[in-house]
Amino acid sequence: MATKKAVRTSASTISGIDYPIPEVLDDKRQLNEFAQTNSGKKIVCVQGLGFVGAVMSLVVANSPAAQYAVIGVELPNESSYWKVCSINTGTFPIASSDPSVEQLYQSTQRRKNFYATCDTHAYSLADIVVIDVNLDVQKKHGKQKRLNDFEVDLTGFKRALESIASVCKEDVLLIVETTVPPGTCEKVAKPLFDKAFERRGLSKRYQLGYSYERVMPGPHYVNSIRNFYRVYAGIDEQSAKATEVFLRTIIRTDEYPLTRLHSTTACEISKVLENSFRAMNIAFIQEWTEFAHRAHVNLFEIVEAIRMRPTHKNIMLPGLGVGGYCLTKDPLLASWSSQNFFLGTALAQSEAAVTINDQMPLFSYNEFSKALNGKLSRKKVLLLGVSYLRNIGDTRQTPVELLYTMLKKGGCTVTLHDPYVAYWQEQQCSVHTRFEEVCKGSYDVVVFCTAHSHYTESVVLRDWLSSAQPMLLFDSNAVLNEDAIKIYGRRHRILVIGRGDIHS
Amino acid sequence: MATKKAVRTSASTISGIDYPIPEVLDDKRQLNEFAQTNSGKKIVCVQGLGFVGAVMSLVVANSPAAQYAVIGVELPNESSYWKVCSINTGTFPIASSDPSVEQLYQSTQRRKNFYATCDTHAYSLADIVVIDVNLDVQKKHGKQKRLNDFEVDLTGFKRALESIASVCKEDVLLIVETTVPPGTCEKVAKPLFDKAFERRGLSKRYQLGYSYERVMPGPHYVNSIRNFYRVYAGIDEQSAKATEVFLRTIIRTDEYPLTRLHSTTACEISKVLENSFRAMNIAFIQEWTEFAHRAHVNLFEIVEAIRMRPTHKNIMLPGLGVGGYCLTKDPLLASWSSQNFFLGTALAQSEAAVTINDQMPLFSYNEFSKALNGKLSRKKVLLLGVSYLRNIGDTRQTPVELLYTMLKKGGCTVTLHDPYVAYWQEQQCSVHTRFEEVCKGSYDVVVFCTAHSHYTESVVLRDWLSSAQPMLLFDSNAVLNEDAIKIYGRRHRILVIGRGDIHS
């Protein structure tokens, strides 16, 4: 008799429902039925149902010419399996402030052209596979989030490709959207598919393209795919052409023309370069933020003056730090590629940008500490915003985390609020979402971390601050505008990161 | 009997005339006469007749309301005295591709409202003094232009201010345009004027403003003053107001509104920050240029793709290096100020940008050397362009210098050509200006350094390259466009810095 194993489950972060993960993943019957229902349509598999893949699936399934049926494929693990169940039972796995997301999902439900599965049999049915899996960098942080070292492990990515290569059609079109170390398509993906096709006795008629997304969750989520410029390339002319034809069916290329680059490596570099450009410019302005504090000047008015010049429009603003999945790692993917794929040196400036940005919240912490003369113990702090992005509940790599852990370590009692985050995954703690719940308490300091419109436009917040006992308002991320500073400044002490002209 | 001294002279770089520098500098009579001739007009002294001060003088003297008479003041030394003589004898001391420069100068000659002098008596007549003197950074370079250390010496700048402070009117308006270490107006200029006024028994009624220029020599020289955004500040409200009133009389502020900052220090930071932003972004792209060469991709097409995004428009292009007076030193002025005026740390990233940019031409040299398998000895090289800027004859800090000296050191025989530079001051050598003179020779390599339209559009060059023996065309600074590469590539070997996809 077999011993009874504990059943693994996967909990939905949307509904809370806990789905047991089946031992055996045979979804062949349903997949074949889905294909039959959608006969006449091309089958597109989207591998990975994260922030990119999930909405990419909706955009493909809702292409203007309605020529696609989409199968989303995920891994059957604790953090992802629920997405498959959720999609197949009427609930899209991402809550978004963009109403188009729900509209597109409902339309796929009516058309019955979107299905999710964990069974890699799906790839055998696919005419096109879009690869949207994660490819992480393993950062090794020392004390105070100092980046000591990092590693890129391609094992998971290769396994994902292998699951396609071992069953896919001979003439499948593969489009990689995952951000990868430049060179990956040529040096990893192509050899892997070549080898699998040899093993399977197939001629190498597959096509392989690279086209990176510029997805921005939030109110323009769908538009950031459909209505935005795209760059692409193929490992050969035919692959590039096929990738282009596919992109033309889902993107408004009349308004947002495509750009073809001459190699997949060029296209992969393009992606990490554009994010490194941002990361580096943020790191650069941090140096000037610190200078502005020493020189007692307002860096915001300076940056505004400089941005009058068209050649200087992209100069960044002071802030708390850098969050999210891309800017915090993409420069490292490039540096890793330079060293491991092209036997060159590290990209020193790009690496330094990540190092500086990872530690940036320490400056806010130190200014906070200075403002309280170093007396943090038992200070009651209300921290507003844990997401790294305005009006979005995304806590991945949020810079708020370092500030929060430092405040706690310093002895502060921290109350958390974010209208978009009920549970802070990375810190495993719950967060107040209703401001009415937190404004009853009394605090020594209110820390503004995220420029949610709830904080910039809330009447409840304004009324509370206008009658509350005098506190320190510590704005770490340019949340308060000039008017707010003037009004609140009558009652409270104010300190704004980047405004060295406000003395605390 | 006095011993006879050798007479010092100052040679015009325009006419070649050698002016003897007088021992005694008494110009009082002429100055007083000039003031009388222009009675009813405000007297504006412009201190320093370099690239900024000379043309600034013209713009002020040609203000729409014709309310100013301008006295340009220079030092009586070898490199500057000739400018004074030249201005007073009918030749403007700067040759420019902008025809407005000559037009404005001729208009001052007709109106008789522009005079030049070395006598500081001029400042005693001035209602307004505009300070446009140089303030240099003393860089200490090691081997291969490695920046080991630097120093900022304010002695000359203070002496310039002192020459004004000791004779100026009690209610003079002083406007500093010189790029200075941030904090200079408050920590150096103000104390200096306060002390001089105390000594002279005057009440401190002077006004002191800071407003930096964004002058760009070349075809839009005059417009870069008249028709461009300005930032300004004053040491107090009255000074700021007076500076604003003056700027409104010479700049088209209806189209290019002024921006007032809250302190002169903020305004001084604004200037060095905008140049540091550029310097840093150039240094950043150099890292990716080297990566692109290793990965054999064309960085130009990548940057073009990235610039489609409005948030990424300012990403820079690959090139030979950084030249000119500003970007090569302004980040260091900021770092010096941080350490010396505000007792803080160095601005590490901004300093690093200068270090990287100073050495950037070495990459071109190394690629050049690689293309010739290291065999440089006795190679005949035609180097096109020594100016650092397109269509302008400006060799200050030109990156061509390091490449040129390395090529010579490597044993190459280098022929120089630049349509805008007959004599290379820094290298003390003459340069061919007529292409017909150099294309008779035979060469192993043609090096493109400056994107003068003479090189991009010249029929003579095109014809010569279409019939010359096969050579290596080495484009270090994006001079050749796609068409040129295609056409010349049929005959010659081509290598372009930033285009790692062209194998040599």
Side-chain angles (χ1 to χ4, degrees), chain A residues 229 262 266 274 276-278 280-281 283 287-288 294 301 309-314 334 338 344 347-350, chain B residues 262 274 276-278 280-281 283 287-288 294 301 308-314 334 338 344 347-350:
Chain A
Y229 304 103
H262 278 89
E274 64 179 63
S276 298
F277 169 75
R278 296 288 279 181
M280 187 268 318
N281 272 287
E287 177 161 291
W288 291 78
R294 282 197 291 281
E301 66 165 18
R309 301 185 70 173
T311 49
H312 290 67
K313 282 249 179 286
N314 299 155
S338 171
L347 302 190
Q349 298 173 79
S350 305
Chain B
H262 278 89
E274 64 180 64
S276 298
F277 168 76
R278 297 287 277 183
M280 187 270 317
N281 272 287
E287 177 161 291
W288 291 78
R294 283 197 291 279
E301 66 164 19
M308 299 287 271
R309 301 185 69 174
T311 48
H312 291 65
K313 283 250 180 283
N314 299 155
S338 172
L347 302 190
Q349 295 174 80
S350 304

Short mmCIF file of all heavy atoms in Angstrom, two decimals, chain A residues 229 262 266 274 276-278 280-281 283 287-288 294 301 309-314 334 338 344 347-350, chain B residues 262 274 276-278 280-281 283 287-288 294 301 308-314 334 338 344 347-350:
data_model
loop_
_atom_site.label_atom_id
_atom_site.label_comp_id
_atom_site.label_asym_id
_atom_site.label_seq_id
_atom_site.Cartn_x
_atom_site.Cartn_y
_atom_site.Cartn_z
N TYR A 229 5.65 50.83 -29.10
CA TYR A 229 6.71 50.44 -30.01
C TYR A 229 7.29 49.08 -29.61
O TYR A 229 7.47 48.78 -28.45
CB TYR A 229 7.84 51.48 -30.00
CG TYR A 229 7.36 52.87 -30.33
CD1 TYR A 229 7.18 53.82 -29.33
CD2 TYR A 229 7.07 53.21 -31.64
CE1 TYR A 229 6.72 55.10 -29.64
CE2 TYR A 229 6.61 54.49 -31.96
CZ TYR A 229 6.44 55.43 -30.94
OH TYR A 229 6.00 56.68 -31.25
N HIS A 262 19.29 43.60 -36.40
CA HIS A 262 19.94 42.63 -37.28
C HIS A 262 20.24 41.27 -36.64
O HIS A 262 20.61 40.33 -37.34
CB HIS A 262 21.23 43.23 -37.86
CG HIS A 262 20.96 44.10 -39.03
ND1 HIS A 262 20.69 45.44 -38.92
CD2 HIS A 262 20.87 43.82 -40.36
CE1 HIS A 262 20.47 45.95 -40.12
NE2 HIS A 262 20.57 45.00 -41.01
N ALA A 266 21.50 41.57 -30.70
CA ALA A 266 21.29 43.02 -30.70
C ALA A 266 19.99 43.36 -29.99
O ALA A 266 19.91 44.31 -29.20
CB ALA A 266 21.29 43.55 -32.12
N GLU A 274 18.16 49.54 -22.44
CA GLU A 274 17.19 50.58 -22.10
C GLU A 274 16.88 50.59 -20.61
O GLU A 274 16.73 51.66 -20.01
CB GLU A 274 15.94 50.60 -23.01
CG GLU A 274 15.03 49.42 -23.00
CD GLU A 274 13.83 49.63 -23.95
OE1 GLU A 274 14.06 49.75 -25.16
OE2 GLU A 274 12.68 49.66 -23.50
N SER A 276 19.06 49.56 -18.29
CA SER A 276 20.29 50.00 -17.63
C SER A 276 20.42 51.52 -17.69
O SER A 276 20.88 52.16 -16.75
CB SER A 276 21.51 49.34 -18.28
OG SER A 276 21.45 47.94 -18.13
N PHE A 277 20.00 52.10 -18.83
CA PHE A 277 20.00 53.56 -18.99
C PHE A 277 19.18 54.22 -17.88
O PHE A 277 19.62 55.18 -17.25
CB PHE A 277 19.42 53.90 -20.37
CG PHE A 277 19.11 55.35 -20.60
CD1 PHE A 277 20.12 56.27 -20.82
CD2 PHE A 277 17.78 55.79 -20.60
CE1 PHE A 277 19.82 57.62 -21.05
CE2 PHE A 277 17.48 57.13 -20.82
CZ PHE A 277 18.49 58.04 -21.04
N ARG A 278 18.01 53.66 -17.61
CA ARG A 278 17.17 54.21 -16.55
C ARG A 278 17.83 54.00 -15.18
O ARG A 278 17.92 54.92 -14.37
CB ARG A 278 15.79 53.53 -16.53
CG ARG A 278 14.98 53.75 -17.75
CD ARG A 278 14.45 55.14 -17.87
NE ARG A 278 13.24 55.34 -17.08
CZ ARG A 278 12.58 56.50 -17.07
NH1 ARG A 278 13.03 57.54 -17.75
NH2 ARG A 278 11.48 56.63 -16.36
N MET A 280 20.89 53.55 -14.39
CA MET A 280 22.10 54.35 -14.21
C MET A 280 21.75 55.81 -13.97
O MET A 280 22.37 56.47 -13.13
CB MET A 280 22.96 54.18 -15.44
CG MET A 280 24.31 54.79 -15.37
SD MET A 280 24.27 56.45 -16.02
CE MET A 280 23.24 56.20 -17.45
N ASN A 281 20.75 56.32 -14.66
CA ASN A 281 20.37 57.71 -14.45
C ASN A 281 19.73 57.94 -13.08
O ASN A 281 19.84 59.03 -12.52
CB ASN A 281 19.45 58.19 -15.58
CG ASN A 281 20.24 58.75 -16.76
OD1 ASN A 281 20.80 59.85 -16.66
ND2 ASN A 281 20.35 57.99 -17.83
N ALA A 283 20.65 56.14 -10.37
CA ALA A 283 21.83 56.09 -9.48
C ALA A 283 22.59 57.42 -9.52
O ALA A 283 23.04 57.93 -8.49
CB ALA A 283 22.75 54.94 -9.89
N GLU A 287 23.45 60.67 -6.30
CA GLU A 287 24.67 61.38 -5.90
C GLU A 287 24.39 62.89 -5.74
O GLU A 287 24.90 63.53 -4.82
CB GLU A 287 25.71 61.14 -7.00
CG GLU A 287 27.01 61.84 -6.83
CD GLU A 287 28.08 61.17 -7.70
OE1 GLU A 287 28.46 60.03 -7.40
OE2 GLU A 287 28.52 61.78 -8.68
N TRP A 288 23.56 63.42 -6.63
CA TRP A 288 23.24 64.85 -6.61
C TRP A 288 22.19 65.16 -5.55
O TRP A 288 22.11 66.29 -5.07
CB TRP A 288 22.83 65.30 -8.00
CG TRP A 288 24.00 65.27 -8.95
CD1 TRP A 288 24.55 64.17 -9.55
CD2 TRP A 288 24.82 66.38 -9.33
NE1 TRP A 288 25.64 64.52 -10.29
CE2 TRP A 288 25.82 65.89 -10.19
CE3 TRP A 288 24.79 67.74 -9.05
CZ2 TRP A 288 26.80 66.70 -10.76
CZ3 TRP A 288 25.75 68.56 -9.62
CH2 TRP A 288 26.74 68.04 -10.46
N ARG A 294 23.43 68.53 1.26
CA ARG A 294 24.56 69.21 1.90
C ARG A 294 24.56 70.70 1.58
O ARG A 294 24.93 71.52 2.40
CB ARG A 294 25.88 68.60 1.38
CG ARG A 294 26.25 67.28 2.01
CD ARG A 294 27.72 66.95 1.79
NE ARG A 294 28.07 66.65 0.41
CZ ARG A 294 27.85 65.49 -0.21
NH1 ARG A 294 27.27 64.50 0.43
NH2 ARG A 294 28.24 65.31 -1.46
N GLU A 301 13.47 71.70 -8.15
CA GLU A 301 13.35 72.88 -9.00
C GLU A 301 14.52 72.94 -9.99
O GLU A 301 14.37 73.44 -11.10
CB GLU A 301 13.22 74.19 -8.19
CG GLU A 301 14.43 74.58 -7.38
CD GLU A 301 14.37 76.06 -6.90
OE1 GLU A 301 13.28 76.66 -6.90
OE2 GLU A 301 15.44 76.59 -6.52
N ARG A 309 15.45 71.79 -21.47
CA ARG A 309 16.24 71.47 -22.66
C ARG A 309 15.84 70.10 -23.20
O ARG A 309 15.90 69.11 -22.47
CB ARG A 309 17.74 71.42 -22.31
CG ARG A 309 18.26 72.71 -21.74
CD ARG A 309 19.75 72.63 -21.54
NE ARG A 309 20.44 72.59 -22.81
CZ ARG A 309 21.76 72.65 -22.94
NH1 ARG A 309 22.52 72.71 -21.86
NH2 ARG A 309 22.33 72.63 -24.12
N PRO A 310 15.49 70.03 -24.48
CA PRO A 310 15.10 68.73 -25.05
C PRO A 310 16.17 67.66 -24.87
O PRO A 310 15.86 66.49 -24.72
CB PRO A 310 14.91 69.06 -26.54
CG PRO A 310 14.63 70.53 -26.58
CD PRO A 310 15.39 71.14 -25.44
N THR A 311 17.43 68.08 -24.89
CA THR A 311 18.53 67.12 -24.73
C THR A 311 18.67 66.61 -23.30
O THR A 311 19.50 65.75 -23.03
CB THR A 311 19.86 67.78 -25.10
OG1 THR A 311 19.94 69.04 -24.42
CG2 THR A 311 19.98 68.00 -26.60
N HIS A 312 17.90 67.17 -22.38
CA HIS A 312 18.05 66.82 -20.97
C HIS A 312 16.72 66.38 -20.34
O HIS A 312 16.59 66.33 -19.13
CB HIS A 312 18.59 68.02 -20.19
CG HIS A 312 20.02 68.36 -20.49
ND1 HIS A 312 20.42 68.84 -21.72
CD2 HIS A 312 21.15 68.27 -19.74
CE1 HIS A 312 21.73 69.04 -21.70
NE2 HIS A 312 22.20 68.71 -20.52
N LYS A 313 15.74 66.04 -21.20
CA LYS A 313 14.40 65.70 -20.70
C LYS A 313 14.40 64.46 -19.81
O LYS A 313 13.55 64.31 -18.94
CB LYS A 313 13.45 65.45 -21.88
CG LYS A 313 12.94 66.70 -22.56
CD LYS A 313 11.45 66.89 -22.31
CE LYS A 313 10.92 68.16 -22.96
NZ LYS A 313 11.33 69.37 -22.25
N ASN A 314 15.34 63.55 -20.04
CA ASN A 314 15.30 62.27 -19.32
C ASN A 314 16.06 62.28 -18.00
O ASN A 314 16.25 61.24 -17.39
CB ASN A 314 15.86 61.15 -20.20
CG ASN A 314 15.07 60.93 -21.48
OD1 ASN A 314 15.60 60.42 -22.45
ND2 ASN A 314 13.80 61.32 -21.49
N ALA A 334 23.30 41.98 -18.33
CA ALA A 334 24.23 42.42 -19.37
C ALA A 334 25.67 42.15 -18.97
O ALA A 334 26.47 41.64 -19.75
CB ALA A 334 24.01 43.91 -19.64
N SER A 338 28.38 39.75 -20.79
CA SER A 338 29.68 40.23 -21.26
C SER A 338 30.80 39.31 -20.78
O SER A 338 31.72 38.99 -21.52
CB SER A 338 29.91 41.66 -20.77
OG SER A 338 31.23 42.07 -21.04
N GLY A 344 34.42 38.93 -21.94
CA GLY A 344 34.89 40.30 -21.74
C GLY A 344 34.87 40.69 -20.27
O GLY A 344 34.76 39.84 -19.39
N LEU A 347 30.45 45.03 -16.91
CA LEU A 347 30.01 46.39 -17.24
C LEU A 347 29.97 47.15 -15.92
O LEU A 347 28.96 47.17 -15.21
CB LEU A 347 28.64 46.36 -17.92
CG LEU A 347 28.54 45.55 -19.22
CD1 LEU A 347 27.21 45.81 -19.92
CD2 LEU A 347 29.68 45.85 -20.18
N ALA A 348 31.10 47.79 -15.61
CA ALA A 348 31.31 48.33 -14.27
C ALA A 348 30.28 49.39 -13.88
O ALA A 348 29.73 49.37 -12.78
CB ALA A 348 32.72 48.91 -14.17
N GLN A 349 30.01 50.32 -14.81
CA GLN A 349 29.07 51.40 -14.48
C GLN A 349 27.66 50.86 -14.29
O GLN A 349 26.92 51.30 -13.42
CB GLN A 349 29.06 52.46 -15.58
CG GLN A 349 30.39 53.15 -15.77
CD GLN A 349 30.36 54.06 -16.99
OE1 GLN A 349 29.84 55.17 -16.94
NE2 GLN A 349 30.89 53.60 -18.10
N SER A 350 27.29 49.90 -15.14
CA SER A 350 25.94 49.35 -15.07
C SER A 350 25.76 48.54 -13.79
O SER A 350 24.72 48.61 -13.13
CB SER A 350 25.66 48.51 -16.31
OG SER A 350 25.89 49.30 -17.47
N HIS B 262 15.86 79.34 -6.34
CA HIS B 262 15.78 80.00 -5.04
C HIS B 262 17.10 80.50 -4.48
O HIS B 262 17.12 81.23 -3.51
CB HIS B 262 15.08 79.10 -4.02
CG HIS B 262 13.59 79.16 -4.14
ND1 HIS B 262 12.89 78.33 -4.98
CD2 HIS B 262 12.67 80.00 -3.57
CE1 HIS B 262 11.60 78.63 -4.89
NE2 HIS B 262 11.45 79.63 -4.06
N GLU B 274 23.64 69.81 -15.34
CA GLU B 274 23.22 69.50 -16.71
C GLU B 274 24.40 69.03 -17.57
O GLU B 274 24.24 68.13 -18.38
CB GLU B 274 22.37 70.60 -17.37
CG GLU B 274 22.97 71.93 -17.62
CD GLU B 274 21.96 72.91 -18.29
OE1 GLU B 274 20.94 73.24 -17.68
OE2 GLU B 274 22.22 73.35 -19.42
N SER B 276 27.07 67.50 -16.26
CA SER B 276 27.46 66.19 -15.70
C SER B 276 26.53 65.09 -16.22
O SER B 276 26.97 63.97 -16.48
CB SER B 276 27.42 66.22 -14.17
OG SER B 276 28.33 67.17 -13.68
N PHE B 277 25.25 65.43 -16.38
CA PHE B 277 24.26 64.48 -16.93
C PHE B 277 24.70 64.01 -18.32
O PHE B 277 24.67 62.81 -18.63
CB PHE B 277 22.90 65.18 -16.99
CG PHE B 277 21.84 64.45 -17.79
CD1 PHE B 277 21.20 63.34 -17.28
CD2 PHE B 277 21.47 64.91 -19.06
CE1 PHE B 277 20.21 62.68 -18.02
CE2 PHE B 277 20.49 64.26 -19.80
CZ PHE B 277 19.86 63.15 -19.28
N ARG B 278 25.15 64.97 -19.14
CA ARG B 278 25.62 64.61 -20.47
C ARG B 278 26.90 63.78 -20.39
O ARG B 278 27.03 62.75 -21.03
CB ARG B 278 25.91 65.86 -21.31
CG ARG B 278 24.70 66.71 -21.58
CD ARG B 278 23.77 66.10 -22.57
NE ARG B 278 24.15 66.34 -23.96
CZ ARG B 278 23.43 65.93 -24.99
NH1 ARG B 278 22.32 65.25 -24.79
NH2 ARG B 278 23.81 66.19 -26.22
N MET B 280 28.08 61.99 -18.04
CA MET B 280 27.86 60.66 -17.48
C MET B 280 27.19 59.74 -18.48
O MET B 280 27.54 58.57 -18.60
CB MET B 280 27.04 60.82 -16.21
CG MET B 280 26.85 59.60 -15.39
SD MET B 280 25.37 58.73 -15.90
CE MET B 280 24.24 60.11 -16.08
N ASN B 281 26.24 60.27 -19.23
CA ASN B 281 25.56 59.43 -20.23
C ASN B 281 26.48 59.04 -21.38
O ASN B 281 26.31 57.99 -21.98
CB ASN B 281 24.28 60.12 -20.73
CG ASN B 281 23.09 59.77 -19.85
OD1 ASN B 281 22.57 58.66 -19.90
ND2 ASN B 281 22.68 60.71 -19.02
N ALA B 283 29.82 58.60 -20.94
CA ALA B 283 30.67 57.57 -20.32
C ALA B 283 29.94 56.23 -20.26
O ALA B 283 30.52 55.17 -20.51
CB ALA B 283 31.09 58.01 -18.92
N GLU B 287 30.75 52.11 -22.23
CA GLU B 287 30.77 50.74 -21.70
C GLU B 287 30.01 49.79 -22.63
O GLU B 287 30.43 48.65 -22.86
CB GLU B 287 30.11 50.78 -20.32
CG GLU B 287 29.97 49.47 -19.61
CD GLU B 287 29.75 49.69 -18.12
OE1 GLU B 287 30.70 50.14 -17.44
OE2 GLU B 287 28.64 49.43 -17.64
N TRP B 288 28.91 50.28 -23.18
CA TRP B 288 28.08 49.46 -24.06
C TRP B 288 28.65 49.40 -25.48
O TRP B 288 28.40 48.46 -26.22
CB TRP B 288 26.64 50.00 -24.04
CG TRP B 288 26.00 49.73 -22.71
CD1 TRP B 288 26.22 50.44 -21.55
CD2 TRP B 288 25.12 48.67 -22.37
NE1 TRP B 288 25.50 49.88 -20.52
CE2 TRP B 288 24.82 48.79 -21.00
CE3 TRP B 288 24.55 47.62 -23.09
CZ2 TRP B 288 23.97 47.90 -20.34
CZ3 TRP B 288 23.69 46.75 -22.44
CH2 TRP B 288 23.42 46.89 -21.07
N ARG B 294 32.35 43.43 -28.61
CA ARG B 294 32.57 42.03 -28.22
C ARG B 294 31.46 41.13 -28.75
O ARG B 294 31.70 40.00 -29.14
CB ARG B 294 32.63 41.91 -26.69
CG ARG B 294 33.93 42.36 -26.08
CD ARG B 294 34.09 41.83 -24.66
NE ARG B 294 33.16 42.43 -23.71
CZ ARG B 294 33.32 43.62 -23.13
NH1 ARG B 294 34.36 44.38 -23.44
NH2 ARG B 294 32.45 44.07 -22.26
N GLU B 301 21.98 51.03 -34.32
CA GLU B 301 20.59 50.64 -34.60
C GLU B 301 19.85 50.35 -33.29
O GLU B 301 18.66 50.57 -33.18
CB GLU B 301 20.49 49.46 -35.60
CG GLU B 301 21.04 48.14 -35.11
CD GLU B 301 20.58 46.94 -35.97
OE1 GLU B 301 20.15 47.16 -37.11
OE2 GLU B 301 20.66 45.80 -35.48
N MET B 308 12.98 55.52 -29.57
CA MET B 308 11.55 55.62 -29.88
C MET B 308 10.77 55.96 -28.61
O MET B 308 9.70 56.56 -28.67
CB MET B 308 11.04 54.29 -30.44
CG MET B 308 11.68 53.83 -31.73
SD MET B 308 11.14 54.78 -33.14
CE MET B 308 9.69 53.82 -33.64
N ARG B 309 11.28 55.55 -27.47
CA ARG B 309 10.57 55.82 -26.21
C ARG B 309 10.89 57.24 -25.72
O ARG B 309 12.06 57.57 -25.54
CB ARG B 309 11.01 54.82 -25.12
CG ARG B 309 10.77 53.39 -25.49
CD ARG B 309 11.12 52.49 -24.32
NE ARG B 309 10.17 52.66 -23.23
CZ ARG B 309 10.17 51.92 -22.12
NH1 ARG B 309 11.09 50.98 -21.96
NH2 ARG B 309 9.29 52.12 -21.18
N PRO B 310 9.87 58.03 -25.48
CA PRO B 310 10.11 59.41 -25.01
C PRO B 310 10.97 59.45 -23.74
O PRO B 310 11.74 60.38 -23.55
CB PRO B 310 8.70 59.94 -24.73
CG PRO B 310 7.80 59.09 -25.56
CD PRO B 310 8.44 57.75 -25.66
N THR B 311 10.84 58.44 -22.91
CA THR B 311 11.62 58.39 -21.66
C THR B 311 13.09 58.04 -21.90
O THR B 311 13.88 58.05 -20.97
CB THR B 311 11.05 57.32 -20.72
OG1 THR B 311 10.88 56.12 -21.47
CG2 THR B 311 9.73 57.76 -20.12
N HIS B 312 13.44 57.71 -23.14
CA HIS B 312 14.80 57.27 -23.44
C HIS B 312 15.44 58.08 -24.58
O HIS B 312 16.45 57.66 -25.13
CB HIS B 312 14.79 55.78 -23.83
CG HIS B 312 14.47 54.86 -22.68
ND1 HIS B 312 13.26 54.85 -22.06
CD2 HIS B 312 15.23 53.94 -22.03
CE1 HIS B 312 13.26 53.95 -21.10
NE2 HIS B 312 14.45 53.38 -21.05
N LYS B 313 14.84 59.24 -24.89
CA LYS B 313 15.32 60.04 -26.01
C LYS B 313 16.77 60.52 -25.83
O LYS B 313 17.49 60.74 -26.79
CB LYS B 313 14.44 61.28 -26.20
CG LYS B 313 13.12 61.01 -26.88
CD LYS B 313 13.09 61.59 -28.28
CE LYS B 313 11.76 61.31 -28.97
NZ LYS B 313 11.64 59.94 -29.47
N ASN B 314 17.20 60.71 -24.59
CA ASN B 314 18.52 61.31 -24.34
C ASN B 314 19.66 60.29 -24.25
O ASN B 314 20.78 60.65 -23.90
CB ASN B 314 18.50 62.14 -23.05
CG ASN B 314 17.52 63.29 -23.07
OD1 ASN B 314 17.08 63.74 -22.04
ND2 ASN B 314 17.17 63.77 -24.26
N ALA B 334 31.81 70.33 -9.56
CA ALA B 334 30.78 69.93 -8.60
C ALA B 334 31.39 69.10 -7.47
O ALA B 334 31.12 69.34 -6.29
CB ALA B 334 29.68 69.13 -9.30
N SER B 338 31.55 70.01 -3.51
CA SER B 338 31.01 69.12 -2.46
C SER B 338 32.03 68.91 -1.35
O SER B 338 31.70 68.93 -0.17
CB SER B 338 30.60 67.79 -3.09
OG SER B 338 30.25 66.86 -2.08
N GLY B 344 31.64 67.59 2.19
CA GLY B 344 31.05 66.29 1.94
C GLY B 344 32.00 65.40 1.17
O GLY B 344 33.20 65.69 1.05
N LEU B 347 31.82 63.46 -5.61
CA LEU B 347 30.73 62.92 -6.42
C LEU B 347 31.34 61.84 -7.32
O LEU B 347 31.80 62.11 -8.43
CB LEU B 347 30.07 64.02 -7.25
CG LEU B 347 29.49 65.21 -6.48
CD1 LEU B 347 28.64 66.10 -7.40
CD2 LEU B 347 28.64 64.78 -5.30
N ALA B 348 31.35 60.62 -6.78
CA ALA B 348 32.14 59.54 -7.39
C ALA B 348 31.73 59.24 -8.82
O ALA B 348 32.58 59.08 -9.70
CB ALA B 348 32.02 58.28 -6.53
N GLN B 349 30.43 59.15 -9.08
CA GLN B 349 29.99 58.80 -10.43
C GLN B 349 30.32 59.90 -11.42
O GLN B 349 30.70 59.65 -12.56
CB GLN B 349 28.48 58.56 -10.44
CG GLN B 349 28.04 57.37 -9.61
CD GLN B 349 26.53 57.29 -9.55
OE1 GLN B 349 25.89 56.81 -10.46
NE2 GLN B 349 25.93 57.78 -8.47
N SER B 350 30.16 61.15 -10.98
CA SER B 350 30.41 62.28 -11.87
C SER B 350 31.90 62.38 -12.18
O SER B 350 32.30 62.66 -13.32
CB SER B 350 29.87 63.56 -11.24
OG SER B 350 28.50 63.39 -10.93
#
